């Protein structure tokens, strides 16, 4: 095993078969900007997820941004959005960019998502939505949260960028919220080179999201009656160029869609393989050193996620040195590099936050990692990695 050993974050996520399908498509000399395959991919994705509508965009970050923009457009400006400090930068940047105030809630160790009791304690009349991230393939929902939000009429927005195919009570994550976001970037469960999806059951939001994706133009609407209603309000404008709101161009294209359609066929099978790999990893890693009591119910593992039970900077550095020596690519801090409250973009916005209010996020920030998990990872390689991590 030792000679030339390496373990990258991702391997072979766009297969030879994907490339053959793509070449076959390209040989028909097709239009490559957003067209029929984008529509087909969106439809297949909605069917797979169990929602009415999906909007294919150029990244998960764009999905975050459009969700917050659509929330502002349809539910009004200002107010608080509850977010975790352990998430990707764009989950929080999108909240700030659209003029909402992020309100941070610490995570719990079992699923790395926001602690549900703390979310509920932080809800108030100013709460515009709970923007929950399902981290690393773990389910972050429970009945208490869903009941409380529906009782108070507060929307849930789910970031499922790291958890495609994970379920809560047999229903896929991303089908619970008013909107949900997915990423199809490199090391994720599926790749369209770059890409993301926003999903919703709300017909009105769907039309707004389609316009927001493409310059705010009315001609992007799917529903003819909805579009005509808008057009009639602006008789002095040509219907091809009515820009209803300050917006973006975050469209994807046919190449991404062709890859997405093909990759979706093996997503469920890949999720099972990823979960099995994580189980092997947790069974073999030393539970005296590393936390292993994750809540795996309904998971769709993203990366082999682990963290030290006890804070120990010396041990942390030693483990990182050992991983580097064995060419094991790692990311410290789990999702998004750990505690966002420590990042310059937030410090500029918020000043110094009370980090002691987020001890769990901070623990993961300093003492947590993930390393690559992919469907074709072999058992003996996982066992070997555990041996390296245990042998400290
Ligand atoms: C939780 C989460 N949200 C959003 C994103 C953004 O996705 P993208 O890289 O496609 O912009 C990521 C990216 O890895 C992520 O992990």
């Amino acid at each position: 095993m030792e000679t030339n050993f390496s373990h990258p974050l991702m391997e072979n996520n766009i297969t030879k078969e994907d490339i053959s399908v793509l070449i076959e498509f390209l040989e028909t000399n097709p239009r490559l900007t957003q067209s029929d395959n984008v529509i087909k991919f969106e439809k297949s994705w909605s069917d797979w997820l169990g929602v009415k509508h999906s909007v294919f965009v150029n990244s998960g970050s764009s999905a975050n941004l459009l969700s917050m923009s659509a929330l502002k457009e349809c539910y009004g400006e200002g107010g608080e959005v509850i977010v975790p400090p352990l998430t990707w930068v764009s989950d929080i940047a999108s909240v700030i960019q659209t003029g909402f105030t992020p309100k941070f809630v610490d995570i719990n160790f079992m699923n790395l998502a926001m602690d549900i009791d703390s979310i509920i304690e932080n809800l108030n009349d100013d709460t515009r939505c709970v923007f929950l991230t399902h981290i690393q393939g773990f389910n972050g929902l429970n009945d208490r949260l869903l009941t409380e939000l529906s009782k108070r009429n507060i929307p849930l927005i789910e970031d499922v960028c790291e958890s495609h195919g994970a379920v809560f009570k047999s229903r896929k994550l991303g089908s619970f919220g008013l909107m949900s976001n997915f990423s199809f970037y490199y090391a994720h469960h599926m790749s369209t080179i770059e890409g993301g999806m926003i999903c919703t059951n709300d017909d009105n939001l769907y039309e707004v999201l389609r316009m927001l994706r493409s310059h705010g133009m009315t001609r992007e609407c799917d529903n003819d009656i909805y579009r005509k209603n808008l057009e009639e309000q602006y008789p002095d404008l040509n219907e091809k160029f009515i820009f209803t709101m300050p917006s973006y161009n975050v469209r994807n294209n046919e190449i991404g869609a062709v890859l997405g359609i093909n990759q979706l066929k093996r997503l469920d099978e890949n999720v099972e393989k990823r979960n099995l790999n994580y189980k092997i990893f947790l069974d073999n890693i030393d539970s005296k050193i590393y936390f292993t009591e994750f809540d795996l119910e309904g998971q769709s593992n993203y990366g082999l996620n682990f963290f030290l039970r006890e804070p120990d900077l010396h041990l942390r550095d030693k483990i990182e040195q050992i991983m580097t020596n064995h060419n094991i690519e790692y990311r410290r801090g789990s999702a998004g590099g750990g505690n966002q409250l420590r990042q310059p973009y937030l410090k500029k916005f918020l000043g110094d936050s009370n980090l002691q209010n987020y001890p769990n996020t901070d623990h993961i920030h300093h003492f947590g990692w993930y390393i690559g998990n992919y469907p074709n990872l072999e058992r003996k390689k996982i066992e070997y990695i555990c041996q390296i991590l245990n042998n400290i």
Side-chain angles (χ1 to χ4, degrees):
M1 207 26 107
E2 187 60 59
T3 340
N4 293 332
F5 182 83
S6 72
H7 182 60
L9 276 190
M10 176 43 86
E11 247 177 22
N12 200 24
N13 71 339
I14 294 181
T15 62
K16 282 203 173 121
E17 201 249 333
D18 291 329
I19 300 291
S20 305
V21 170
L22 189 56
I23 290 171
E24 213 174 290
F25 165 69
L26 291 173
E27 277 171 351
T28 63
N29 201 15
R31 171 183 161 163
L32 293 178
T33 50
Q34 180 182 294
S35 186
D36 295 349
N37 282 287
V38 169
I39 296 169
K40 194 171 157 200
F41 181 35
E42 290 172 339
K43 171 89 183 62
S44 316
W45 187 263
S46 297
D47 291 346
W48 173 83
L49 185 63
V51 295
K52 259 172 108 173
H53 307 294
S54 296
V55 178
F56 187 36
V57 289
N58 60 4
S59 72
S61 310
S62 297
N64 294 156
L65 179 61
L66 289 207
S67 297
M68 284 300 122
S69 304
L71 186 76
K72 179 175 157 189
E73 190 63 30
C74 300
Y75 286 69
E77 292 189 18
E80 291 177 355
V81 171
I82 296 194
V83 281
L86 186 76
T87 185
W88 188 250
V89 51
S90 54
D91 288 71
I92 296 161
S94 60
V95 171
I96 299 168
Q97 283 156 349
T98 47
F100 296 110
T101 304
K103 186 154 191 192
F104 292 93
V105 166
D106 201 12
I107 55 133
N108 71 77
F109 286 147
M110 306 282 284
N111 61 11
L112 304 184
M114 284 184 283
D115 180 70
I116 304 260
D117 290 342
S118 312
I119 297 180
I120 293 171
E121 274 163 32
N122 276 283
L123 298 175
N124 62 50
D125 291 345
D126 217 19
T127 309
R128 289 293 156 268
C129 83
V130 172
F131 193 6
L132 183 143
T133 306
H134 300 289
I135 299 274
Q136 295 277 328
F138 300 119
N139 161 44
L141 298 179
N142 73 8
D143 277 329
R144 181 158 181 245
L145 177 69
L146 294 173
T147 310
E148 194 66 29
L149 292 182
S150 104
K151 203 167 78 194
R152 296 192 189 209
N153 216 6
I154 295 174
L156 168 73
I157 300 183
E158 295 174 86
D159 181 322
V160 203
C161 287
E162 299 182 358
S163 304
H164 317 49
V167 295
F168 172 56
K169 290 189 159 174
S170 310
R171 194 170 134 194
K172 288 201 179 83
L173 302 184
S175 65
F176 290 88
L178 175 68
M179 287 176 271
S180 62
N181 303 156
F182 291 84
S183 166
F184 305 124
Y185 182 60
Y186 186 57
H188 293 245
H189 295 65
M190 260 180 52
S191 176
T192 59
I193 309 174
E194 296 276 359
M197 198 72 94
I198 311 157
C199 307
T200 184
N201 285 316
D202 185 299
D203 296 338
N204 183 53
L205 271 173
Y206 174 54
E207 301 299 336
V208 170
L209 287 165
R210 285 180 65 100
M211 288 192 281
L212 280 168
R213 169 174 66 179
S214 194
H215 309 292
M217 289 194 290
T218 53
R219 70 169 135 113
E220 292 292 320
C221 292
D222 190 44
N223 182 300
D224 288 342
I225 301 168
Y226 188 98
R227 192 187 62 246
K228 285 206 176 89
N229 274 342
L230 278 178
E231 285 167 1
E232 275 163 20
Q233 294 174 36
Y234 311 100
D236 58 323
L237 295 176
N238 179 280
E239 68 206 28
K240 289 287 174 244
F241 287 123
I242 304 178
F243 306 107
T244 53
M245 48 200 152
S247 191
Y248 317 94
N249 174 3
V250 292
R251 294 185 300 253
N252 209 306
N253 58 50
E254 292 288 282
I255 293 179
V258 167
L259 289 172
I261 293 164
N262 206 51
Q263 294 228 344
L264 183 53
K265 293 181 198 156
R266 54 174 194 273
L267 178 58
D268 291 335
E269 193 189 321
N270 283 351
V271 167
E272 273 181 39
K273 290 181 187 164
R274 281 169 170 270
N275 286 345
L276 185 63
N277 292 345
Y278 193 40
K279 176 119 196 3
I280 297 170
F281 181 77
L282 290 179
D283 285 347
N284 281 280
I285 197 166
D286 187 340
S287 62
K288 289 194 283 304
I289 307 169
Y290 305 103
F291 181 93
T292 52
E293 298 89 83
F294 295 104
D295 178 4
L296 301 181
E297 178 98 38
Q299 70 153 342
S300 166
N301 183 262
Y302 176 85
L304 305 177
N305 194 87
F306 60 108
F307 64 88
L308 289 180
R309 282 194 184 278
E310 301 299 332
D312 184 336
L313 284 171
H314 176 70
L315 185 58
R316 192 268 314 268
D317 293 345
K318 193 170 163 190
I319 291 167
E320 292 190 353
Q321 191 56 58
I322 287 173
M323 287 196 280
T324 305
N325 292 346
H326 288 86
N327 296 316
I328 299 172
E329 194 178 0
Y330 63 86
R331 290 288 181 271
R332 188 203 294 167
S334 193
N339 194 347
Q340 294 295 309
L341 290 162
R342 289 182 173 272
Q343 294 292 346
Y345 78 94
L346 257 186
K347 282 194 172 175
K348 272 184 213 145
F349 183 74
L350 296 173
D352 280 327
S353 305
N354 284 331
L355 293 172
Q356 67 271 21
N357 293 342
Y358 311 95
N360 292 355
T361 300
D362 233 28
H363 184 82
I364 301 295
H365 179 92
H366 292 296
F367 307 109
W369 303 269
Y370 73 89
I371 58 175
N373 181 11
Y374 23 90
N376 58 349
L377 191 56
E378 293 160 10
R379 173 184 277 270
K380 65 175 191 301
K381 195 168 176 188
I382 302 171
E383 287 170 350
Y384 182 63
I385 291 168
C386 290
Q387 215 178 302
I388 293 169
L389 293 173
N390 293 344
N391 223 340
I392 46 166

